């Protein structure tokens, strides 16, 4: 995997060289030997085609659904670049704008960038809608303070138009590395024009795209304007997707007289049962109609959505009574629309889209048992602080692959200290290979250590499927040293509390042991105090605790420099000592 990554980096990246000003290097999806359209479920059948259904669906679904499936709503492209300027150009197949929706939403793109600590930022682009749509994102901040290898970007594509001949250009000499589709299971949304994106002012403000950023997870947008009708042909296609959650939000296209009320309940029940037959454990979320904002002054519309919601509740009650598992309901009260949230009484504006996204995030976190807190240590994020040493997302993907093929009894979760110890996934950072082989390999341990990780980064990894599909007997957790310069002791402890609870929710049968933070130069006394707090936390939430790093200290309380390579990371001798101290934990029943 690492060699493959280097190959693709070399293929799509150019080392900085002196070039004539304004000379650009262009990339198009067909240049990539792997799938790059994120949010696309059937990429192996479409290659570089920018659409939402595979070609074979044309002969299966209604013509209106097929035509809308060629709109690029919810699709995006991820890449890494250090370019100060990024230009996007493409052609569209329909009108640039709609009467109630601007060209920037119907036909435009949005570019978001992640800083090295995992925070989202929006890039402002100057645009032109002519025969070729052109977006120019100029004077970009190319790097953060950690390194000079660029940042990750996410380009959201048009909501209500089909795209062809798309190209991304950067100045020659700039890094430009396209990233493959995400490996984590996606949220799959089947819905109406509201799900497709009407009437967001720009693609990034469609609620499915807001949700994708909030959860930092792929959301597959199967919203079809006026045509989200719980049709068997579409449900059959959904059944082909290995989803994290299925969301059925079709009621606005199913109100009477589009379908009879009895038929509505039948469609709901049959759709749920079809999905449940193929996906016995995947959560299914049913969403009520969000209402109309002008119902008081135009009262004949009020009964339409109220009756549809009543029918949905009755169908939900019947399915629940039949003991259909993992079935959930998002009520209209949770969506919380008001008179300022819609463009035309039906379709949300940006405020309404945000209300939708907030409601869905809250409900999905509840369903998936993935809560967040108010502290930085309780907010799951990934990072890109050390790409020159290893690729964070690539290591995450390697763990997901190993989980499918190789069982492990012990998970060693941590930061660079764990990362450098040894074991799989293999890497070029290993400093304690002999100690790992001697003390941990006999217990079939797996290395879940990531360089530069903080508490919140491990929380992200737990929430993004690293503990799925495996049944470890023991989970050893050592994390927090990289939070010392940013967070108080209490913030670290509270972050660890949420993290342990998240691990328990994913692996309720595993025996969890919290390790005290290892000693480090000039932080010895603080770590002693902090570890007392971690020990008290472990006792209060019923998990184990061990301070295996104590022997790395001298009698005067300072670290034994002979055990360290740099005052933080142990050398081979230090790892051997840690391995010996870990033995009682690994052997305990």
């Amino acid at each position: 995997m690492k060699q493959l990554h280097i190959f693709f980096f070399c293929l799509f990246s150019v080392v900085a060289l002196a070039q004539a000003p304004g000379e650009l290097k262009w990339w198009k999806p067909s240049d990539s030997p792997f799938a790059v359209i994120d949010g696309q479920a059937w990429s192996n059948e479409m290659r570089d085609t920018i659409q939402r259904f595979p070609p074979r669906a044309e002969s299966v679904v209604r013509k209106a659904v097929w035509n809308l499936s060629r709109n690029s709503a919810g699709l995006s492209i991820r890449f890494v670049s250090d370019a100060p300027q990024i230009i996007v150009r493409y052609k569209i197949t329909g009108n640039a704008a709609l009467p109630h929706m601007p060209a920037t939403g119907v036909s435009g793109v949005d570019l978001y960038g992640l800083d090295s600590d995992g925070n989202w930022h929006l890039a402002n682009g100057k645009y032109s809608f002519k025969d070729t749509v052109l977006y120019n994102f100029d004077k970009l901040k190319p790097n953060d303070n950690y390194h000079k290898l660029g940042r990750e970007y996410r380009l959201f594509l048009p909501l209500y138009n089909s795209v062809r001949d798309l190209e991304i250009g950067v100045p020659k000499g700039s890094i430009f590395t396209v990233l493959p589709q995400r490996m984590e299971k996606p949220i799959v949304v089947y819905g109406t024009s509201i799900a497709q994106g009407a009437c967001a002012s720009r693609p990034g403000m469609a609620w499915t795209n807001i949700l994708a950023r909030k959860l930092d997870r792929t959301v597959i947008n199967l919203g079809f304007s006026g045509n989200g009708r719980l049709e068997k042909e579409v449900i059959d296609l959904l059944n082909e997707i290995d989803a994290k959650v299925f969301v059925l939000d079709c009621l606005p296209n199913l109100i009477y007289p589009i379908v009879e009320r009895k038929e509505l309940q039948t469609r709901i029940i049959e759709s749920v049962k079809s999905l449940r037959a193929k996906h016995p454990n995947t959560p299914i979320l049913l969403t009520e109609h969000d209402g109309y904002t002008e119902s008081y002054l135009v009262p004949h519309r009020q009964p339409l959505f109220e009756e549809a919601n009543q029918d949905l509740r009755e169908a939900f009650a019947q399915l629940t009574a039949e003991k259909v598992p993992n079935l959930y309901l998002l009520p209209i009260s949770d969506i919380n629309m008001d008179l300022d949230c819609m463009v035309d009484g039906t379709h949300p504006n940006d405020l309404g889209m945000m209300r939708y996204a907030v409601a869905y995030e809250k409900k999905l976190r509840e369903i998936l048992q993935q809560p967040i807190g108010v502290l930085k240590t309780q907010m799951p994020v990934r990072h890109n602080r050390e790409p020159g040493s290893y690729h964070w997302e690539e290591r995450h993907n390697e763990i997901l692959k190993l989980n499918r093929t190789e069982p492990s009894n012990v998970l060693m979760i941590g930061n660079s200290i764990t990362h450098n110890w040894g074991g799989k996934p293999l890497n070029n950072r290993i400093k304690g290979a002999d100690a790992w082989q001697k003390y941990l390999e006999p217990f079939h341990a797996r290395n879940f250590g990531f360089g530069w990780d903080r508490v919140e980064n491990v929380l992200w990894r737990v929430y993004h499927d690293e503990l799925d599909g495996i049944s470890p007997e023991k989970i050893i957790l050592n994390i927090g040293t990289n939070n010392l310069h940013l967070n108080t002791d209490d913030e670290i402890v509270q972050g660890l509390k949420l993290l342990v609870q998240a691990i328990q929710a994913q692996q309720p049968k595993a025996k969890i042991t919290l390790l005290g933070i290892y000693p480090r130069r000039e932080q010895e006394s603080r770590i002693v105090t902090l570890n007392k707090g971690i020990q008290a936390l472990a006792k209060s939430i019923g998990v184990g605790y061990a301070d295996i790093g104590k022997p790395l200290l001298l009698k005067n309380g300072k670290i034994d420099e002979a055990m360290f390579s740099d005052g933080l990371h142990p050398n081979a001798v230090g790892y051997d000592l840690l391995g010996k101290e870990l033995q009682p934990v690994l052997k305990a029943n």
Side-chain angles (χ1 to χ4, degrees):
M1 183 70 182
K2 185 174 183 62
Q3 291 176 336
L4 196 62
H5 173 72
I6 294 172
F7 170 76
F8 290 143
F9 188 91
C10 294
L11 184 63
F12 295 114
S13 303
V14 180
V15 179
L17 298 171
Q19 299 287 341
E23 192 175 359
L24 299 176
K25 168 182 60 175
W26 291 95
W27 170 91
K28 55 185 181 296
S30 60
D31 291 339
S32 292
F34 51 84
V36 297
I37 309 298
D38 206 55
Q40 196 177 61
W42 296 272
S43 56
N44 61 322
E45 299 181 49
M46 291 187 271
R47 293 295 302 146
D48 60 333
T49 305
I50 301 176
Q51 61 188 49
R52 295 181 286 162
F53 271 163
R56 59 185 164 84
E58 184 175 7
S59 63
V60 176
V61 301
R62 286 188 298 110
K63 183 177 180 179
V65 176
W66 169 252
N67 289 340
L68 288 163
S69 77
R70 301 185 71 184
N71 295 165
S72 54
L75 303 183
S76 62
I77 297 171
R78 299 186 307 134
F79 58 89
V80 171
S81 182
D82 68 343
Q85 180 186 35
I86 298 171
I87 294 178
V88 183
R89 65 187 184 192
Y90 53 94
K91 295 184 183 296
I92 55 175
T93 58
N95 294 327
L98 296 173
H100 61 332
M101 189 173 173
T104 48
V106 173
S107 306
V109 296
D110 259 341
L111 186 66
Y112 285 78
L114 281 168
D115 63 31
S116 294
D117 290 325
N119 304 302
W120 290 102
H121 304 273
L122 177 65
N124 178 39
K126 298 188 181 300
Y127 47 83
S128 171
F129 292 92
K130 296 181 180 178
D131 289 342
T132 296
V133 180
L134 185 71
Y135 269 73
N136 182 8
F137 302 93
D138 201 5
K139 297 180 174 60
L140 299 169
K141 181 179 180 181
N143 297 292
D144 297 325
N145 295 329
Y146 292 98
H147 55 79
K148 302 298 181 183
L149 296 175
R151 69 178 72 255
E152 179 181 329
Y153 287 95
R154 186 165 185 175
L155 181 72
F156 289 102
L157 301 181
L159 299 172
Y160 262 79
N161 235 315
S162 301
V163 172
R164 60 184 178 87
D165 300 334
L166 181 140
E167 293 182 293
I168 301 173
V170 298
K172 284 191 174 181
S174 300
I175 293 170
F176 185 83
T177 308
V178 182
L179 299 175
Q181 289 181 332
R182 299 278 290 267
M183 282 188 61
E184 303 94 5
K185 291 182 180 181
I187 308 292
V188 178
V189 177
Y190 177 24
T192 68
S193 56
I194 298 170
Q196 182 167 343
C199 290
S201 65
R202 50 187 177 81
M205 289 308 297
W207 73 257
T208 55
N209 289 339
I210 299 172
L211 182 67
R213 295 193 302 276
K214 284 180 171 292
L215 295 177
D216 198 10
R217 183 181 289 272
T218 296
V219 175
I220 294 179
N221 183 326
L222 297 178
F224 304 111
S225 186
N227 289 276
R229 300 181 183 177
L230 293 181
E231 293 168 298
K232 180 182 182 301
E233 297 81 4
V234 179
I235 293 293
D236 287 345
L237 286 165
L238 263 67
N239 257 325
E240 299 175 9
I241 306 171
D242 186 13
K244 191 74 172 178
V245 180
F246 289 107
V247 176
L248 303 182
D249 189 356
C250 290
L251 245 56
N253 288 164
L254 290 170
I255 60 173
Y256 179 83
I258 297 174
V259 297
E260 297 288 339
R261 295 186 64 185
K262 184 176 180 180
E263 171 66 14
L264 172 57
Q265 290 194 13
T266 300
R267 290 196 190 192
I268 295 168
I269 292 168
E270 289 181 350
S271 296
V272 169
K273 288 186 175 180
S274 175
L275 290 172
R276 182 55 70 235
K278 292 285 184 69
H279 304 272
N281 300 311
T282 305
I284 301 172
L285 175 59
L286 304 175
T287 305
E288 290 189 0
H289 194 306
D290 67 330
Y292 304 114
T293 53
E294 84 286 16
S295 293
Y296 179 82
L297 295 177
V298 189
H300 78 277
R301 300 237 288 169
Q302 180 101 3
L304 299 178
F305 76 81
E306 288 181 340
E307 290 170 359
N309 285 344
Q310 180 60 34
D311 291 338
L312 175 62
R313 294 185 198 113
E314 291 176 5
F316 180 82
Q318 178 181 328
L319 290 163
T320 302
E322 293 176 10
K323 300 190 185 307
V324 175
N326 290 333
L327 186 62
Y328 302 88
L329 183 70
L330 181 67
I332 182 175
S333 57
D334 285 1
I335 302 173
N336 193 31
M337 303 292 272
D338 60 37
L339 77 165
D340 293 323
C341 287
M342 292 186 182
V343 172
D344 52 9
T346 301
H347 298 96
N349 54 26
D350 288 354
L351 175 60
M353 288 290 180
M354 185 59 72
R355 295 277 178 90
Y356 256 95
V358 168
Y360 269 112
E361 182 192 14
K362 181 179 179 181
K363 190 67 178 181
L364 288 169
R365 289 197 179 282
E366 174 188 317
I367 292 169
L368 298 172
Q369 300 183 69
Q370 296 183 356
I372 59 174
V374 298
L375 301 174
K376 190 69 174 176
T377 54
Q378 299 172 324
M379 298 179 182
V381 291
R382 52 197 166 108
H383 74 80
N384 188 36
R385 291 189 280 269
E386 199 178 10
S389 174
Y390 82 105
H391 193 277
W392 195 88
E393 183 176 319
E394 184 178 284
R395 183 169 174 83
H396 167 66
N397 289 341
E398 287 173 345
I399 284 177
L400 297 185
K401 290 178 181 178
L402 281 170
N403 286 347
R404 298 171 186 168
T405 58
E406 298 184 21
S408 54
N409 293 336
V410 176
L411 307 185
M412 295 291 295
I413 300 178
N415 47 48
S416 58
I417 300 173
T418 303
H419 190 165
N420 298 355
W421 200 331
K424 292 184 179 180
L426 299 175
N427 63 87
N428 61 358
R429 303 166 52 106
I430 296 175
K431 305 297 183 185
D434 290 344
W436 183 282
Q437 190 67 29
K438 185 192 306 183
Y439 299 112
L440 288 102
E441 197 61 38
F443 295 93
H444 302 288
R446 175 73 42 77
N447 191 325
F448 277 55
F450 284 56
W452 280 84
D453 259 18
R454 300 170 185 157
V455 174
E456 57 268 27
N457 304 132
V458 177
L459 185 63
W460 187 98
R461 297 198 279 120
V462 171
Y463 284 174
H464 284 76
D465 304 358
E466 285 194 12
L467 299 185
D468 288 6
I470 56 176
S471 301
E473 297 174 3
K474 295 182 175 67
I475 297 176
I476 314 299
L477 178 62
N478 175 263
I479 194 70
T481 195
N482 290 325
N483 292 89
L484 290 173
H485 68 294
L486 295 169
N487 305 108
T488 66
D489 289 2
D490 184 64
E491 288 170 342
I492 294 171
V493 169
Q494 293 305 313
L496 286 171
K497 181 178 181 180
L498 182 61
L499 175 57
V500 171
Q501 291 170 342
I503 294 172
Q504 289 173 322
Q506 298 291 323
Q507 292 289 338
K509 295 181 180 180
K511 182 177 180 180
I512 300 170
T513 299
L514 264 173
L515 297 184
I517 295 176
Y518 301 135
R520 61 184 295 177
R521 185 188 298 147
E522 298 179 357
Q523 295 279 357
E524 293 94 339
S525 60
R526 181 185 175 187
I527 288 173
V528 169
T529 301
L530 175 56
N531 282 345
K532 291 178 180 177
I534 295 174
Q535 183 177 18
L537 168 67
K539 183 177 180 180
S540 70
I541 58 178
V543 300
Y545 174 80
D547 190 359
I548 67 171
K550 273 186 178 180
L552 299 176
L553 291 170
L554 298 171
K555 291 182 179 180
N556 64 4
K558 299 297 182 181
I559 66 167
D560 184 347
E561 296 283 355
M563 299 287 179
F564 290 84
S565 61
D566 57 5
L568 170 62
H569 299 93
N571 56 24
V573 178
Y575 277 118
D576 190 80
L577 183 57
L578 289 176
K580 289 178 183 177
E581 293 293 316
L582 190 59
Q583 287 296 286
V585 176
L586 297 176
K587 291 179 179 178
N589 294 327

